[in-house]
Amino acid sequence: MAQPIRIMIVERETLYRRGLESAFASADDRFDVVSVVSTVEDTYRDAEQQSPDVALVSTTLEGSPGLALATEIRRRYPAINTIIIGAMDSDDELFGAIRAGASAWCSRDVSEDELFALVERSAQGEFVINEQLLSKPSVAARILDQFRSTTTTDPRLSSAFMPLTDRELEILGKISEGMTNAEIGTALGISAQTVKNHVTSILRKLAVNDRTQAVVTALKHGWLSIPEIEDHRTAHAAAAERADGTG
């Protein structure tokens, strides 16, 4: 029997928060609400302690805009898939959700069945927000305009085209250099376990089985370039020679 999807609810309004919790509790054994919070501090604490599969983040949150919080959750806890619950059905909020790296977006009047489906698909690693973007041509055009005008590709801006976060893309670049998890951790100032968590997220998002396939997929889509990889490898080799005292 499949394990229930672990859910975190981040919502300011008490009645809506209770309504969400009640809805998931009534959905057989498909879901397990492991955290219901209303503040930024409690969100970070429970994200660390409860390790939810999906976080429902409302844009009505006090103290920090929900979109900013969702962005930070994706940066700190890449294994958590985020769904933005917007205060209103607006192009601006959908655009913001895409930039935040959210797996999906919905308004507050979403039906239970729709919400359940979004949670299930997001937990499986799908970026439903890409489909939602297709129904909003004006938002798609806005993303393309900004994507073309920027000199450096921001994965959050182009998440409708490339689902990896900034950190995941950085780690994928290190993988392309042939670095181990421990070496990547040292280079980026994070633990090897954190690197492993990011790698797991990368493989899931790209629907590949190993690190090599992930790099190949990134090359095919233009997220990594061959000159960039060669530059990384040259720099890595030089650093290794210096460490050995041969360079």
Side-chain angles (χ1 to χ4, degrees), residues 91-108:
D91 289 355
D92 284 344
E93 288 208 338
L94 175 57
F95 181 74
I98 290 169
R99 293 197 61 174
S103 299
W105 173 92
C106 65
S107 61
R108 293 176 77 79

Side-chain angles (χ1 to χ4, degrees), residues 158-180:
S158 58
S159 63
F161 311 97
M162 198 277 284
L164 304 182
T165 65
D166 290 328
R167 179 63 96 182
E168 289 167 349
L169 186 62
E170 186 176 25
I171 288 173
L172 191 58
K174 299 295 184 185
I175 290 172
S176 73
E177 301 173 35
M179 296 175 69
T180 65

Side-chain angles (χ1 to χ4, degrees), residues 9-245:
I9 297 171
V10 185
E11 166 60 46
R12 177 178 65 87
E13 296 180 11
T14 303
L15 287 178
Y16 196 80
R17 193 166 63 238
R18 290 176 178 172
L20 287 173
E21 187 176 13
S22 176
F24 285 111
S26 68
D28 303 321
D29 298 321
R30 288 182 289 166
F31 308 106
D32 179 15
V33 177
V34 297
S35 171
V36 182
V37 295
S38 60
T39 67
V40 174
E41 293 76 15
D42 288 346
T43 298
Y44 294 146
R45 180 201 65 208
D46 282 11
E48 184 74 37
Q49 295 178 357
Q50 301 298 333
S51 299
D53 300 308
V54 176
L56 303 178
V57 183
S58 171
T59 59
T60 64
L61 196 66
E62 289 184 344
S64 174
L67 293 171
L69 177 60
T71 302
E72 187 63 13
I73 290 174
R74 294 291 296 147
R75 189 187 72 81
R76 294 191 187 190
Y77 315 103
I80 300 177
N81 300 285
T82 55
I83 297 177
I84 303 296
I85 301 180
M88 60 188 71
D89 187 353
S90 74
D91 289 355
D92 284 344
E93 288 208 338
L94 175 57
F95 181 74
I98 290 169
R99 293 197 61 174
S103 299
W105 173 92
C106 65
S107 61
R108 293 176 77 79
D109 62 354
V110 64
S111 70
E112 287 187 5
D113 288 343
E114 286 180 288
L115 184 58
F116 294 164
L118 289 178
V119 169
E120 289 175 324
R121 294 181 64 184
S122 295
Q124 293 170 4
E126 294 186 44
F127 271 71
V128 190
I129 202 164
N130 293 350
E131 297 176 12
Q132 296 173 322
L133 178 64
L134 295 177
S135 67
K136 298 279 189 176
S138 60
V139 180
R142 185 173 169 187
I143 290 172
L144 284 170
D145 285 344
Q146 292 203 21
F147 181 72
R148 289 165 180 159
S149 64
T150 184
T151 54
T152 23
T153 302
D154 179 353
R156 290 173 302 170
L157 181 63
S158 58
S159 63
F161 311 97
M162 198 277 284
L164 304 182
T165 65
D166 290 328
R167 179 63 96 182
E168 289 167 349
L169 186 62
E170 186 176 25
I171 288 173
L172 191 58
K174 299 295 184 185
I175 290 172
S176 73
E177 301 173 35
M179 296 175 69
T180 65
N181 287 353
E183 290 172 331
I184 295 172
T186 299
L188 300 181
I190 57 181
S191 70
Q193 182 59 50
T194 298
V195 175
K196 183 178 179 181
N197 292 341
H198 281 296
V199 172
T200 298
S201 177
I202 291 169
L203 299 184
R204 173 178 53 77
K205 288 181 179 180
L206 300 185
V208 295
N209 297 320
D210 57 48
R211 296 152 65 102
T212 300
Q213 290 181 357
V215 172
V216 171
T217 298
L219 284 170
K220 287 181 178 178
H221 287 81
W223 304 330
L224 289 176
S225 65
I226 292 177
E228 176 184 342
I229 290 176
E230 293 302 328
D231 289 345
H232 286 323
R233 286 178 174 166
T234 300
H236 184 53
E241 289 179 358
R242 288 194 296 271
D244 292 338

